[in-house]
Amino acid sequence: VFQKYGYTHLSAGDLLRDERKRPGSQYGELIENYIKEGEIVPVEITISLLKRAMDQTMAANSQKNKFLIDGFPRNENNLQGWKKTMDGKADVSFVLFFDCDNEICIGRCLERGKSSGRSDDNRESLEKRIHTYLQSTKPIIDLYERMGKVRKVDASKSVDEVFEKVVQIFDKEG
C-alpha cells in the first residue's frame, strides 16, 4: 500500500537483522546481543543504516524521496540522533502508531516464532521488549501525540480491518 503513495518502506529492524548477518560486519555481534536482550541498538548504528538505505534509494531514483520508516525512533536517544543527523534533510510528516494489547502482541509474536527463526520471538525476550517499549518508546509516541503527528490504528482488529484503517490514513495524508 505504501508504494501506491510514493513511499519506500524501510524497516529499522530488518536493516539491523540484515547487517547482523552480513559477512564481515563490524556491528553483527553487537546487534545480535541487543536484539536477544530485547534492548534498543545504539542510535549511531541504526541511523547509519537508515541513512545509507535512504541515500541508496534516492541515488537510484531521485523521485523516491518519501520514506515510511518502520520501528524508529524507539527512544529519546534515537530521537536526538535522528534530529542531529537528519534535521534539514528529512521532515517527519506523521507517525503511524499501531496500538495493541500486550498479550495479543505476545501471542502473535510467539505464533510468528514458530517459523520466523528470530532469536527474539520467545516469551522472555518479548516481555523484555514490552518493558523497553513502556519505558522508552511510549514517551516518544506521547511527544509526537502532543505535536499532533500521531495517526493511531487499533491493531488488535483483524488484518483486513487494520489494513483498511491504514489505507484511510494514507488517503488523507498522501
Side-chain angles (χ1 to χ4, degrees), residues 1-15 49-51 53-54 57-58 63-73 82 86 90-98 149 151 153 163 166-167 169-170 173-174:
V1 73
F2 315 114
Q3 292 85 353
K4 173 185 167 187
Y5 300 93
Y7 287 85
T8 298
H9 175 250
L10 296 177
S11 163
D14 286 351
L15 290 170
L49 297 176
L50 283 168
K51 189 168 183 325
M54 292 168 82
T57 301
M58 291 185 292
Q63 301 299 307
K64 292 194 167 220
N65 60 2
K66 288 169 60 175
F67 297 90
L68 175 74
I69 301 178
D70 179 350
F72 189 88
W82 174 263
M86 303 304 279
D91 294 319
V92 176
S93 301
F94 65 97
V95 172
L96 189 58
F97 175 53
F98 293 91
K149 291 193 172 203
R151 307 298 177 264
V153 176
F163 180 77
V166 170
V167 167
I169 291 168
F170 274 86
E173 299 293 337

Side-chain angles (χ1 to χ4, degrees), residues 76 91 99 126 153:
E76 181 66 29
D91 294 319
D99 193 16
L126 292 165
V153 176

Side-chain angles (χ1 to χ4, degrees), residues 69-152:
I69 301 178
D70 179 350
F72 189 88
R74 297 233 173 172
N75 61 14
E76 181 66 29
N77 193 26
N78 279 184
L79 183 60
Q80 294 311 320
W82 174 263
K83 286 179 178 177
K84 180 179 169 190
T85 307
M86 303 304 279
D87 259 7
K89 297 176 188 157
D91 294 319
V92 176
S93 301
F94 65 97
V95 172
L96 189 58
F97 175 53
F98 293 91
D99 193 16
C100 193
D101 176 79
N102 291 346
E103 277 308 310
I104 292 173
C105 285
I106 288 173
R108 288 175 177 174
C109 289
L110 290 175
E111 188 60 35
R112 177 183 69 187
K114 293 176 183 176
S115 60
S116 72
R118 284 181 51 165
S119 61
D120 59 342
D121 278 345
N122 62 74
R123 183 165 284 275
E124 184 182 356
S125 289
L126 292 165
E127 286 176 359
K128 288 177 183 177
R129 286 175 67 188
I130 287 170
H131 176 75
T132 300
Y133 163 77
L134 291 171
Q135 190 174 45
S136 303
T137 307
K138 186 74 171 81
I140 302 305
I141 302 294
D142 294 343
L143 174 73
Y144 279 109
E145 181 92 66
R146 289 191 296 275
M147 296 164 61
K149 291 193 172 203
V150 172
R151 307 298 177 264
K152 194 178 286 193

